[in-house]
Amino acid sequence: MVDETDAAGDARPSGDPAGDARPSGDPVGPLEPAGQVDPAGPAGPVDAAAGPVDAAAGPTAHRQGFGASVAAFARRHRLALSITAGAVALALLGTGAVFAGAVVAGGDRVEATAATSTPTPTADPARPAPASAAAASRIRTCSVGDRAADGRLANLQAQVVNATTGEVLYDRGGSTASRTASVMKVLTSAAALSVLGPDYRATTTVVKGSEPGSVVLVGGGDVTLSRTSSGDETVYPGAAHLDDLAAQVRAAWDADPSNPPLTKLILDASYFGGDEWEPSWDPAEREYGYMSNITALQVDGDRDDPNAETSWRSGDPIGRAGDAFAGELGGISVIERGTAPAGAAQLGAVSSPTVAQLIDKALVVSDNSVAEMLGRLVAIKTGAGNTFGAINAGVLQGLAAYGVDTTGVTVVDGSGLSDNNAVPPSYLTRLFVKINAREANLGVIMDGLPVSGQRGSLSYSDRFAGDNAVADGAVSAKTGWIETGYTLTGVIRAQDGATLTFAIYALGDVSDDTKQAIDTLTTGFFLCGDNLSNT
């Protein structure tokens, strides 16, 4: 029976720690008396005085004859034997302990040869004790294989992590950096919280122009500034209003009698530089009303309808903002583009909602223009620059504060519209562990996420419906969609009480019902919880 395992994991017979089975009571083999001489050689014992021993005489005669032979031999060679005996005794004293140790090290019980003492076997301190058996890895049995095989998911990448233990429960290409669609807004928001802080506001100002009768409207990057009347709600709760800014300017202008009539308005949008439209974006995003040109001066995200989330955008947000402000000021006959003179006196200022409020908007309804506003402000604040090309460095610098390795991450824009963005699903699952734990200011993101069946883009009638409604209220996640993929990432409060972070990318030839396939897979994660199998 095997009942012992050594440190290397090899099974051994019971009672034989060294691994070699031996007969009981035979520690090493037959031990011959030290110094015994056999004068007769192979033929048998010989008595030197009396001749050969008669073997037929029996055992007693044999022992007596042998003893007489030894005695006679000893008398003739007394001196030599005395010297030999002394040497043997010294040798035995010097080697006895070593011999005993070697025998004990062999793992066998040593029999005493003296009638007066019985040595007690001792363990060899050099021999390590058998290691405790390692706990067996849990075998998880809940499979989502049929859900993951849904052809609507196209080229699937996914990862699921237990947010408490950090264990990866499920992985399909989780380390491969790929396009993200709008889940990029999670990274942009996290960087904005790190670099700008949750209370930061973008400010639009008006200063006195260098020409008589002129003022300069200076955009501060606030895409939520509204042309609607103060007190009216737009798609951006807490937005500043042009009529408020115009009233401040009129009051300041009229307070100085030396000012001539106000007739000229200069529009300064230089806070953002470079292209207004990222070259990899599909122009249809603007036509369909999902994205404005990105300028430091615009109103209502350049929507035709300030109260509609999706509304056609003009393609000239700076001009639209200038026309609206001139109408509020009155008396303006000239509108032109330019920059504010250095050190010009400020006549008025209004500020955007806070970064925390803007993140809520960017996440819950996936507002693209707000996400680009945040990405550009992060780039400027970090010193990376004020163009699309600066966003990558700015956002990565902001994300570094959270200690999650950004290897493989490429940030082309703040919104995720570009196919050239690249983020591994594994980055999102690790970042969401920190978001779920509300580290630093990341609780703002947790509070701003859509919730299955309850809030934002996951509450629409085509999300988490039918059998997937079992997960209503249990999934807090950011949605994503571009022509070449659908994505979803966030936190699942699973049926068994486990908290999971997850990311799903369905990339390639996708269709509108890919959303339902993603929801079905997510519901599978919810039902499996910590028992989710990776097979």
Side-chain angles (χ1 to χ4, degrees):
M1 181 180 70
V2 174
D3 66 354
E4 183 180 353
T5 303
D6 73 359
D10 300 317
R12 292 183 175 147
S14 175
D16 181 27
D20 299 316
R22 295 193 176 118
S24 175
D26 181 20
V28 179
L31 296 179
E32 300 293 341
Q36 179 172 315
V37 178
D38 184 6
V46 177
D47 185 328
V53 174
D54 184 357
T60 301
H62 178 82
R63 286 194 296 271
Q64 289 174 345
F66 180 74
S69 299
V70 171
F73 183 83
R75 285 193 297 270
R76 287 195 300 268
H77 303 285
R78 182 175 301 165
L79 178 60
L81 284 176
S82 297
I83 294 171
T84 301
V88 169
L90 288 173
L92 287 174
L93 287 173
T95 62
V98 174
F99 176 76
V103 172
V104 172
D108 301 305
R109 183 168 57 87
V110 178
E111 299 288 350
T113 57
T116 58
S117 65
T118 302
T120 301
T122 58
D124 181 1
R127 175 177 173 77
S132 299
S137 298
R138 174 178 174 182
I139 298 176
R140 292 176 167 85
T141 58
C142 188
S143 174
V144 294
D146 55 341
R147 298 169 186 253
D150 191 325
R152 294 175 297 174
L153 294 172
N155 299 313
L156 173 66
Q157 290 179 239
Q159 188 177 92
V160 180
V161 168
N162 183 312
T164 302
T165 66
E167 185 176 2
V168 176
L169 305 181
Y170 184 89
D171 188 273
R172 296 292 181 274
S175 62
T176 300
S178 300
R179 54 195 179 276
T180 62
S182 284
V183 303
M184 175 59 74
K185 295 179 175 73
V186 173
L187 278 68
T188 306
S189 299
L193 288 167
S194 169
V195 173
L196 305 172
D199 300 322
Y200 179 91
R201 298 173 186 266
T203 301
T204 304
T205 59
V206 176
V207 299
K208 200 169 186 177
S210 57
E211 301 176 41
S214 68
V215 293
V216 184
L217 176 62
V218 183
D222 180 12
V223 303
T224 73
L225 179 66
S226 183
R227 64 187 186 274
T228 63
S229 299
S230 293
D232 289 351
E233 282 297 323
T234 73
V235 294
Y236 299 124
H241 293 264
L242 285 179
D243 60 357
D244 179 16
L245 183 59
Q248 294 178 43
V249 171
R250 267 296 172 192
W253 189 266
D254 294 342
D256 183 356
S258 65
N259 284 331
L262 186 55
T263 59
K264 187 173 185 178
L265 174 63
I266 300 167
L267 308 177
D268 184 351
S270 62
Y271 196 52
F272 291 174
D275 293 336
E276 295 181 5
W277 190 261
E278 214 291 322
S280 63
W281 290 349
D282 185 345
E285 299 290 347
R286 182 173 52 220
E287 298 301 317
Y288 294 155
Y290 295 120
M291 174 67 91
S292 65
N293 282 17
I294 303 307
T295 58
L297 176 61
Q298 59 182 278
V299 290
D300 301 306
D302 196 39
R303 288 171 172 82
D304 247 14
D305 181 354
N307 299 110
E309 296 289 354
T310 302
S311 179
W312 183 83
R313 317 295 172 105
S314 73
D316 182 18
I318 299 172
R320 174 177 271 181
D323 290 342
F325 189 59
E328 294 293 344
L329 279 176
I332 299 297
S333 57
V334 177
I335 303 175
E336 62 184 40
R337 312 286 175 97
T339 56
Q346 182 173 298
L347 303 173
V350 291
S351 296
S352 73
T354 65
V355 161
Q357 292 172 301
L358 294 170
I359 286 173
D360 186 86
K361 190 67 182 180
L363 297 179
V364 74
V365 295
S366 205
D367 191 287
N368 292 312
S369 297
V370 166
E372 294 302 332
M373 167 186 173
L374 291 172
R376 196 67 62 91
L377 292 175
V378 165
I380 292 169
K381 184 73 170 181
T382 60
N386 68 350
T387 66
F388 278 112
I391 292 176
N392 185 67
V395 169
L396 291 182
Q397 183 174 328
L399 293 174
Y402 303 113
V404 180
D405 185 8
T406 56
T407 299
V409 174
T410 299
V411 184
V412 172
D413 58 32
S415 62
L417 282 184
S418 176
D419 277 359
N420 297 329
N421 289 303
V423 180
S426 60
Y427 179 83
L428 289 160
T429 58
R430 287 176 289 161
L431 181 62
F432 264 106
V433 168
K434 294 177 178 291
I435 292 170
N436 178 66
R438 297 178 175 272
E439 291 187 17
N441 291 312
L442 291 174
V444 171
I445 295 177
M446 197 68 215
D447 294 337
L449 292 170
V451 179
S452 54
Q454 296 181 3
R455 184 173 192 256
S457 57
L458 286 182
S459 67
Y460 301 159
S461 61
D462 61 347
R463 301 307 301 259
F464 286 91
D467 291 342
N468 295 329
V470 69
D472 277 359
V475 180
S476 298
K478 181 70 196 78
T479 56
W481 170 69
I482 50 178
E483 290 292 334
T484 58
Y486 281 90
T487 54
L488 187 67
T489 183
V491 178
I492 300 170
R493 311 293 179 190
Q495 190 175 56
D496 64 357
T499 299
L500 312 177
T501 63
F502 77 104
I504 299 172
Y505 294 3
L507 306 177
D509 186 11
V510 294
S511 56
D512 188 63
D513 59 358
T514 296
K515 298 192 296 291
Q516 287 74 52
I518 287 177
D519 293 351
T520 299
L521 180 56
T522 304
T523 300
F525 297 153
F526 163 78
L527 294 171
C528 288
D530 191 54
N531 193 34
L532 175 63
S533 169
N534 195 38
T535 59

